[in-house]
Amino acid sequence: MDGDFDFLIVGAGSSGSVLASRLAAAGKRVLVLEAGGSERRFYVEMPLGYGKLFYDPAVNWAYRTEPDPGLNGQRDYWPRGKVVGGSSSINAMVWIRGHASDYDDWQAATGSSFWGRENTTAAYRAIEDNADGADAFRGQGGPLHIRSGREPAHPLVRPYLEACAAAGLPVNADFNGATQEGAGIYQLTIKGGRRNSAARAFLRPAMKTGRIALRTKAQVTRVLLQGLRATGVEYRWKGALHRARAGEVILAGGAINTPQILMLSGIGPGAMLAGQGIGVVLDQPQVGAHLNDHQGINYTYRMTVPTMNDILRPWWGKALVGMRYLLTGGGPLSVSINHGGGFFRTDPGLDRPNMQLYFQAFSTLMPREGERPILSPDPFPGLSIGLSNCRPTSRGNLELASPDPFAAVKIHANVFSTDHDVAEMLAAVKFLRRIADQAPMKALIAEELRPGPQVQTDAQLIDDFRSRSGTVFHPSCTARMGADPASSVLDADLRVRGIEGLRVCDASAFPTLIGGNTNAPAILLGWLGAERILARV
Ligand SMILES: Cc1cc2nc3c(=O)[nH]c(=O)nc-3n(C[C@H](O)[C@H](O)[C@H](O)COP(=O)(O)OP(=O)(O)OC[C@H]3O[C@@H](n4cnc5c(N)ncnc54)[C@H](O)[C@@H]3O)c2cc1C
């Protein structure tokens, strides 16, 4: 592509979209190369199109992990957005910043108060246009509209919240406010009944400046290096290889693809690269290491009252809600799959919640490997209460499987590989059952279907979550920032140590995984990353 670009961003995902918008706002010329196509698709825009995007290779990298001993040898399915907006164009739209202390952890890991709680809270306030209005935590008037899931909440949310309170987890009106703990309703990245991806909120408006060139279906194959300086990238577009150059290259391909691009460029664990016949430019064993992710499990109940299954499964129901959405932009298709949520501690001695809850007035059987990849509502009134851990101690890693840039890396997720993670999940599923056993919910439940009442002992519960759990789609930290060069890839300014003119700005740069969903911190990274980059410190 012609032109003198100040910056070349690889990937128009959550972080990349925000970063491009901020750099352009500062007068910089930016080239964005995105492997996927446009996000202007019906099922991307319609919030409950989520189910249609989940396995769709037209918008999804659709990765499989290696067989995982922690999952009784199964391979997990890892969707990632391959479309403008990245994973924010296919995600479940829950807006969670994480626990305030997560940013104390970022400050400690990076040695910089720039990534600490004060500065990140101020940044979130500047980012948000929160429908609930501004307060000491929420922001209003920023580029990202956030709506509450409260209006309209599904009728089953109320008994769920009452049951949580009866189980000892009171209502929290704002998980992003003064405290995170409690049961409540998530805020969502939805605006006017349409998904509010990072592309819609940041990239597309910023393109009106004329300073951003976006090339879609352009997959970057490697970083071009002159010695230890990045000068541009090579990418495939319309069946041919091209080169693009810029003052600085910033990788924002996400936590799986960014480390892969680094490795393909000769930056990574030396022996691994040499084993694939790739010349080693910088032996950096931290690339692809420290893979952090949240692991989740759903408990499914058959109900005595109608749930969303009753309307979403039959053809006439689909037609009805479809018509309603098309005519009014409202109804069940205009909301997230997650109708309620929560954060709790499995041990009162802990100083912050270590578990997250998802309440869905809907149920589906997650297909395992070899089964038909489709998310279909169960043929009965069902609902799910799900759980995921906040800060697991299990760590996976990524391995370059081939020098072919179009072949996927090997994902060694390595979940439930520590006693800590197993014990914590065991305590959590027991608490989940306690919620379902409280009068407001119990009165509406016909039976627990998955795992079912026959699963009772600790060994059975553990075996169940090893066989049925899966990622909740938050891989992070695979090219992380840190003050310690021996255990990180990037400095606190997102620079790849040892290489000039190359940065990383996406979830792979997280110093630690936060206790919550990862779209908000990925957007934060783009927002604050731009400040670091522009400061040229
Ligand atoms: C199914 C699903 C549900 C989720 N639900 C939620 C939720 O409800 N709430 C929440 O907070 N988080 C959720 N997440 C997680 C969240 O969306 C991600 O953590 C976040 O979007 C990651 O941002 P990122 O910028 O790191 O990467 P991404 O947004 O994934 O962006 C990376 C971009 O880079 C592009 N790219 C990759 N490689 C190349 C290459 N070689 N050349 C060019 N372009 C490339 C990709 O196509 C993609 O567009 C979910 C994720 C998934 C997959």
Side-chain angles (χ1 to χ4, degrees):
M1 232 175 170
D2 294 333
D4 289 331
F5 293 102
D6 300 304
F7 296 98
L8 189 165
I9 299 176
V10 179
S14 298
S15 303
S17 292
V18 180
L19 179 61
S21 75
R22 296 265 279 166
L23 295 178
K28 304 296 179 191
R29 296 205 61 219
V30 185
L31 171 62
V32 182
L33 297 174
E34 166 56 47
S38 170
E39 82 289 13
R40 290 175 169 153
R41 306 164 71 102
F42 181 68
Y43 288 121
V44 169
E45 299 210 333
M46 182 180 83
L48 217 64
Y50 177 82
K52 294 275 187 197
L53 309 170
F54 198 77
Y55 291 106
D56 184 354
V59 294
N60 201 319
W61 292 89
Y63 291 126
R64 282 269 168 204
T65 68
E66 293 303 294
D68 196 334
L71 298 180
N72 289 339
Q74 298 173 91
R75 295 158 65 109
D76 198 7
Y77 173 65
W78 282 25
R80 308 305 307 157
K82 185 182 187 180
V83 54
V84 175
S87 298
S88 77
S89 287
I90 69 162
N91 73 10
M93 295 157 289
V94 168
W95 179 251
I96 286 287
R97 298 177 179 183
H99 194 271
S101 66
D102 284 315
Y103 300 98
D104 297 339
D105 295 347
W106 281 25
Q107 174 165 343
T110 59
S112 167
S113 60
F114 183 80
W115 298 105
R117 79 162 76 189
E118 208 175 301
N119 204 35
T120 55
T121 302
Y124 277 128
R125 290 189 78 242
I127 287 168
E128 285 185 8
D129 179 35
N130 200 306
D132 279 346
D135 65 10
F137 298 93
R138 287 192 298 268
Q140 207 171 35
L144 184 69
H145 183 80
I146 315 278
R147 62 157 280 192
S148 159
R150 278 199 309 276
E151 294 298 331
H154 191 278
L156 284 168
V157 171
R158 195 183 166 142
Y160 160 73
L161 294 178
E162 288 170 357
C164 285
L169 191 67
V171 168
N172 180 351
D174 186 352
F175 299 128
N176 297 318
T179 53
Q180 190 192 45
E181 191 162 13
I185 296 178
Y186 288 123
Q187 294 166 25
L188 304 166
T189 44
I190 295 177
K191 184 179 184 186
R194 286 165 55 209
R195 172 190 293 277
N196 203 12
S197 68
R200 183 177 171 213
F202 296 92
L203 182 62
R204 294 291 182 188
M207 285 176 71
K208 295 190 181 125
T209 61
R211 290 192 284 274
I212 298 178
L214 169 66
R215 179 158 277 183
T216 57
K217 301 202 170 167
Q219 183 165 339
V220 169
T221 52
R222 67 187 171 106
V223 177
L224 297 172
L225 294 155
Q226 239 170 33
L228 292 176
R229 181 174 175 85
T231 56
V233 299
E234 181 185 79
Y235 66 101
R236 190 179 70 172
W237 186 63
K238 294 198 171 167
L241 282 180
H242 301 260
R243 290 181 165 206
R245 297 188 187 275
E248 186 164 331
V249 175
I250 305 162
L251 302 181
I256 311 300
N257 294 45
T258 283
Q260 181 183 22
I261 298 168
L262 286 170
M263 291 180 198
L264 290 168
S265 314
I267 302 163
M272 185 195 289
L273 302 188
Q276 294 297 341
I278 291 176
V280 180
V281 176
L282 183 74
D283 183 2
Q284 173 45 288
Q286 302 301 315
V287 172
H290 310 290
L291 172 60
N292 270 249
D293 192 17
H294 295 136
Q295 189 72 5
I297 176 86
N298 271 6
Y299 274 45
T300 302
Y301 300 89
R302 194 161 63 80
M303 307 298 289
T304 58
V305 290
T307 69
M308 277 178 64
N309 291 6
D310 299 77
I311 194 79
L312 291 181
R313 190 172 168 100
W315 68 265
W316 55 265
K318 287 192 184 95
L320 213 68
V321 294
M323 285 295 279
R324 182 165 170 205
Y325 182 73
L326 287 174
L327 291 175
T328 68
L333 301 183
S334 69
V335 295
S336 166
I337 192 174
N338 296 306
H339 301 101
F343 290 87
F344 67 95
R345 287 172 288 165
T346 52
D347 172 351
L350 294 172
D351 56 8
R352 56 187 175 181
N354 61 329
M355 282 288 160
Q356 185 170 357
L357 280 162
Y358 295 93
F359 174 80
Q360 303 170 344
F362 157 89
S363 69
T364 184
L365 193 57
M366 290 298 282
R368 306 310 291 192
E369 200 189 359
E371 294 172 352
R372 195 168 163 226
I374 188 165
L375 290 188
S376 201
D378 288 325
F380 49 80
L383 70 72
S384 305
I385 307 179
L387 276 176
S388 62
N389 43 22
C390 288
R391 287 170 214 85
T393 55
S394 299
R395 296 287 177 266
N397 74 292
L398 303 175
E399 182 189 343
L400 194 68
S402 159
D404 176 3
F406 304 102
V409 288
K410 284 188 179 170
I411 302 172
H412 301 281
N414 209 22
V415 305
F416 295 130
S417 54
T418 63
D419 292 343
H420 166 275
D421 292 0
V422 174
E424 162 182 270
M425 187 55 82
L426 179 62
V429 294
K430 289 179 181 172
F431 183 69
L432 190 162
R433 272 190 168 162
R434 226 170 84 202
I435 295 173
D437 207 34
Q438 303 304 311
M441 283 296 292
K442 198 176 179 177
L444 307 174
I445 291 176
E447 59 177 328
E448 181 190 289
L449 283 173
R450 296 189 281 267
Q454 75 288 357
V455 173
Q456 284 301 336
T457 65
D458 286 1
Q460 289 170 329
L461 289 164
I462 293 169
D463 185 60
D464 173 62
F465 63 69
R466 285 197 187 281
S467 359
R468 288 197 309 117
S469 69
T471 176
V472 288
F473 326 117
H474 300 157
S476 319
C477 309
T478 46
R480 67 185 185 181
M481 264 193 283
D484 173 17
S487 62
S488 60
V489 177
L490 312 174
D491 67 16
D493 298 313
L494 302 170
R495 288 185 290 225
V496 176
R497 276 197 201 88
I499 305 285
E500 285 275 297
L502 184 62
R503 305 205 202 208
V504 170
C505 184
D506 59 25
S508 41
F510 292 179
T512 59
L513 179 56
I514 63 132
N517 314 65
T518 45
N519 189 38
I523 283 176
L524 177 85
L525 214 81
W527 185 270
L528 286 178
E531 287 178 20
R532 299 308 283 180
I533 291 165
L534 289 165
R536 294 232 174 253
V537 280

